[in-house]
Amino acid sequence: MKRKLLLLSIMSAAIFTAKAQDSTLSITGSVDTYYKYDFADPKGGLGQIPTSFATDHNSLSIGMVDIALKKKISKAAFVGELSFGPRGQYQSIPAGDGNDLNGTNSFHIQNLYISYDLTDKLNVTAGYMGTFIGYEVISPTANFNYSTSYLFTNGPFQNAGFKATYTFSDKVSLMAGIFNDQWNGYRAFENGMDNFGAQLGLHPVEGWDAYLNVITGHTMGTEFDLTTAYQITDMFKLGLNAAVYSSSDYAKANFELPGFAGVALYPQVAVSSSVSLGLRGEYFKFKSDGPDVKAITATANIKAGPLTFIPEVRLDSWNEEAFEKKNGDPTKSASQFLLAAVYAF
Amino acid sequence: MNKIVLLILVVSAFSITSVHAQNKDSLSFDERNKYIYYQVAEETKVKADTLYERALHFLKNAFENDRLKLSKEDKDKAILTGKGGFMVTKKALVSMQDDAKITFNMVIEVKDGKYRYWFTDFAAIPYRRDRYANFSPVDGKKIPLEQGLRKLGQKTLDDYLEQTLINCRNISGVLKTYMQKPSGTPKNDGIKRSVTTKEW
């Protein structure tokens, strides 16, 4: 009996010690899965709408398991976010270091950075970070819609570099930084850190946030982006994303990247504490007389604790015959239904 | 074995008694139907002016600005107001994650020999994961706890109220310490003074 009590005491002490040591370590993440049906029933297992993620047709498919570690001690913090699965690997991050031998290798890293608060108002961060450009993000827990916009798909996903953020007041902040030459890459390639990026954050009134973003460089070109959201009433929120991208000569020659411009509107209504309904209406156009598309997506978020069900219907209409009908005839429009489940932990 | 069982029973009884004793103070509703944590305390030998200075010193120095800071002082009415906030967490995979920030106002009013203070205007700013894998405030959301049942659900509201009460008690404890001593109390500068071992 005494031995058991002693053992119990030692175990308790060990648990308390472990908790004390790990008290600031945060482990969070998500798991997501979905079923999608493209109403043209295309062959080959893939849907027709060409934006990111939720690609598979008539299939119960996986998104990713995403695990983020974060720790902050005093003024120093790190974030390491790993992801596994189609959404968390080849659909959102590059493979290896770009060499042939690493062609199919993945580092699984969505975010890897270290930051330090130089003062209460000034923070510096270095590493590989989710991009500051745009309204939508890679993590399904931070998006309302499960499918993504054309603006998201065609903009940067991550930027590796160094940035400094200064908070002037509750209403104004400014970030400026230098980033690697190619968007999304883990390292710089031919042109070093030739991207300059900046974000002006404005919070004019309670409930309204606006971010004016720019990233510009010789390698990739220049993108200007406005991301804003206004919680107009307790129930109603309106978001807006507008961007224009001019491809550089280097990007045209090496990556065949066209320029683009677009705008997306995100009205959302909270029906109750667990149910919200939202629309995404987007107009997107490739520059230089390229095609354009109008897309509308109706989405619901139904929350049950950490689990969110996302039923969604989407209709895309191009100004040229970009899709196929069920009988194989070309058509300008395509539509799809999907049901996703996202568990956040 | 019997002694161990007896010891466990005594410890359990003591714990339960302690919890009940702590729960004498609680959140209530005020005349505006807002949650309030209200306390009156005595410092019988201390003048109002002195208590005012001590309360001012408390609001200016006791906590980091994002946790509690002075927002208004009115010496004529002997009332001080502070604004503050604290994080509420929820259990994540193996650790806690930021779930929301509860903001509040704190009012301190002094008279000769006593003072009263209250916390009110509690509102929750939900946090969610952002693109950098941090948890940050949801843009534009601020939910008064009085509307919590409808907007947060019973379980979350209960959890937030419990953590709010704990926070109010913690700040109260610090306030009482400040109100008992002169306001010019220097901060511990961390410098170790020399110690003589010759006399003891």
Side-chain angles (χ1 to χ4, degrees):
Chain A
M1 185 66 196
K2 280 181 182 174
R3 282 183 184 173
K4 282 182 182 172
L5 280 172
L6 184 64
L7 187 63
L8 199 64
S9 305
I10 292 169
M11 284 172 66
S12 304
I15 290 166
F16 274 113
T17 309
K19 278 187 177 175
Q21 286 170 348
D22 291 345
S23 60
T24 55
L25 177 67
S26 157
I27 304 175
T28 58
S30 66
V31 170
D32 64 296
T33 183
Y34 69 95
Y35 171 83
K36 182 173 95 163
Y37 189 84
D38 185 316
F39 292 111
D41 194 16
K43 306 302 172 207
L46 295 177
Q48 299 188 93
I49 291 174
T51 56
S52 305
F53 317 139
T55 48
D56 302 347
H57 161 64
N58 197 17
S59 165
L60 197 300
S61 292
I62 57 173
M64 66 174 174
V65 53
D66 181 64
I67 301 167
L69 309 176
K70 183 187 176 185
K71 186 156 187 162
K72 183 170 188 180
I73 295 179
S74 186
K75 297 173 179 177
F78 82 83
V79 167
E81 183 188 4
L82 305 173
S83 58
F84 303 83
R87 185 179 185 124
Q89 288 180 250
Y90 63 89
Q91 291 179 357
S92 66
I93 52 177
D97 58 6
N99 289 326
D100 290 342
L101 287 175
N102 262 327
T104 56
N105 192 11
S106 173
F107 292 163
H108 301 281
I109 292 169
Q110 292 284 347
N111 274 289
L112 190 165
Y113 62 84
I114 290 170
S115 69
Y116 190 81
D117 297 330
L118 289 176
T119 70
D120 285 349
K121 293 178 180 294
L122 181 60
N123 170 275
V124 289
T125 303
Y128 184 74
M129 298 158 278
T131 185
F132 55 94
I133 300 277
Y135 191 93
E136 298 181 19
V137 301
I138 294 166
S139 168
T141 62
N143 285 336
F144 188 87
N145 311 98
Y146 191 75
S147 70
T148 56
S149 66
Y150 288 91
L151 283 170
F152 169 80
T153 295
N154 288 278
F157 281 18
Q158 295 95 1
N159 298 109
F162 168 84
K163 64 180 182 180
T165 306
Y166 190 82
T167 305
F168 292 93
S169 69
D170 291 344
K171 294 184 185 301
V172 182
S173 64
L174 180 66
M175 179 279 288
I178 51 171
F179 301 93
N180 287 347
D181 50 4
Q182 290 185 28
W183 297 347
N184 314 335
Y186 288 121
R187 66 175 182 86
F189 290 86
E190 289 182 8
N191 298 317
M193 298 181 73
D194 81 345
N195 269 308
F196 168 78
Q199 177 180 71
L200 177 64
L202 301 170
H203 315 280
V205 295
E206 189 169 309
W208 184 15
D209 295 286
Y211 299 93
L212 296 160
N213 305 309
V214 62
I215 186 160
T216 182
H218 162 74
T219 306
M220 298 300 292
T222 302
E223 180 169 355
F224 291 101
D225 174 90
L226 166 66
T227 295
T228 182
Y230 188 20
Q231 188 76 40
I232 297 170
T233 69
D234 282 351
M235 289 180 63
F236 184 63
K237 177 183 177 181
L238 185 62
L240 172 79
N241 185 202
V244 57
Y245 167 65
S246 302
S247 183
S248 67
D249 292 340
Y250 185 96
K252 284 174 190 160
N254 290 277
F255 315 121
E256 297 178 357
L257 273 184
F260 65 78
V263 60
L265 207 58
Y266 300 81
Q268 289 159 14
V269 177
V271 179
S272 70
S273 61
S274 55
V275 178
S276 298
L277 306 174
L279 288 173
R280 176 182 56 209
E282 182 180 20
Y283 173 77
F284 181 89
K285 179 178 175 26
F286 286 111
K287 285 184 174 177
S288 307
D289 298 326
D292 64 68
V293 60
K294 300 178 191 78
I296 187 145
T297 308
T299 305
N301 279 193
I302 304 159
K303 290 185 183 297
L307 182 60
T308 305
F309 290 103
I310 309 176
E312 185 174 288
V313 178
R314 173 169 178 162
L315 172 67
D316 285 26
S317 179
W318 286 81
N319 68 339
E320 62 180 23
E321 292 172 333
F323 305 117
E324 286 184 357
K325 293 180 186 174
K326 215 168 192 174
N327 62 9
D329 291 345
T331 180
K332 293 179 178 177
S333 60
S335 54
Q336 66 180 32
F337 165 81
L338 70 80
L339 175 63
V342 179
Y343 190 101
F345 56 84
Chain B
M1 184 64 193
N2 286 343
K3 284 181 182 175
I4 293 169
V5 172
L6 184 65
L7 183 66
I8 291 169
L9 286 174
V10 170
V11 169
S12 303
F14 179 75
S15 304
I16 291 165
T17 312
S18 301
V19 168
H20 279 286
Q22 286 168 1
N23 283 346
K24 279 179 184 173
D25 58 337
S26 60
L27 288 171
S28 313
F29 283 102
D30 67 9
E31 56 272 16
R32 302 172 301 155
N33 264 338
K34 303 210 91 170
Y35 282 110
I36 188 169
Y37 178 89
Y38 180 86
Q39 296 280 292
V40 180
E42 291 191 345
E43 284 296 329
T44 49
K45 295 177 182 173
V46 188
K47 292 285 185 191
D49 279 355
T50 306
L51 287 176
Y52 185 89
E53 290 304 320
R54 290 179 184 179
L56 184 63
H57 183 62
F58 162 78
L59 284 172
K60 283 182 175 174
N61 298 291
F63 294 97
E64 297 286 330
N65 275 350
D66 62 339
R67 191 153 174 221
L68 180 64
K69 66 178 178 183
L70 176 72
S71 61
K72 190 179 171 187
E73 50 181 309
D74 187 338
K75 196 154 191 177
D76 293 339
K77 292 181 180 173
I79 295 176
L80 291 158
T81 308
K83 282 184 182 296
F86 60 94
M87 298 305 300
V88 285
T89 55
K90 70 177 179 185
K91 186 88 171 71
L93 182 62
V94 291
S95 61
M96 304 302 284
Q97 74 181 44
D98 293 337
D99 194 34
K101 183 175 187 177
I102 308 277
T103 60
F104 59 85
N105 287 326
M106 181 184 189
V107 182
I108 307 171
E109 186 174 357
V110 300
K111 285 185 175 179
D112 286 341
K114 64 179 181 180
Y115 61 97
R116 64 175 182 164
Y117 60 93
W118 61 94
F119 301 85
T120 189
D121 300 324
F122 299 105
I125 301 170
Y127 271 50
R128 79 168 183 184
R129 184 202 187 282
D130 66 15
R131 65 187 68 210
Y132 308 116
N134 281 313
F135 280 79
S136 55
V138 176
D139 292 343
K141 283 263 185 186
K142 196 167 187 178
I143 303 166
L145 288 192
E146 295 77 19
Q147 300 172 14
L149 188 59
R150 183 164 54 90
K151 294 183 177 175
L152 299 168
Q154 185 73 59
K155 188 175 178 299
T156 304
L157 176 63
D158 289 347
D159 190 34
Y160 286 6
L161 289 174
E162 185 184 336
Q163 294 191 54
T164 298
L165 184 57
I166 290 168
N167 185 70
C168 291
R169 284 179 182 150
N170 289 341
I171 295 177
S172 293
V174 178
L175 173 66
K176 282 172 184 166
T177 309
Y178 272 73
M179 297 304 269
Q180 286 166 358
K181 61 188 179 184
S183 57
T185 307
K187 283 184 180 175
N188 181 0
D189 56 11
I191 298 170
K192 289 190 171 70
R193 309 297 174 202
S194 59
V195 174
T196 175
T197 57
K198 290 177 182 172
E199 293 177 10
W200 59 286

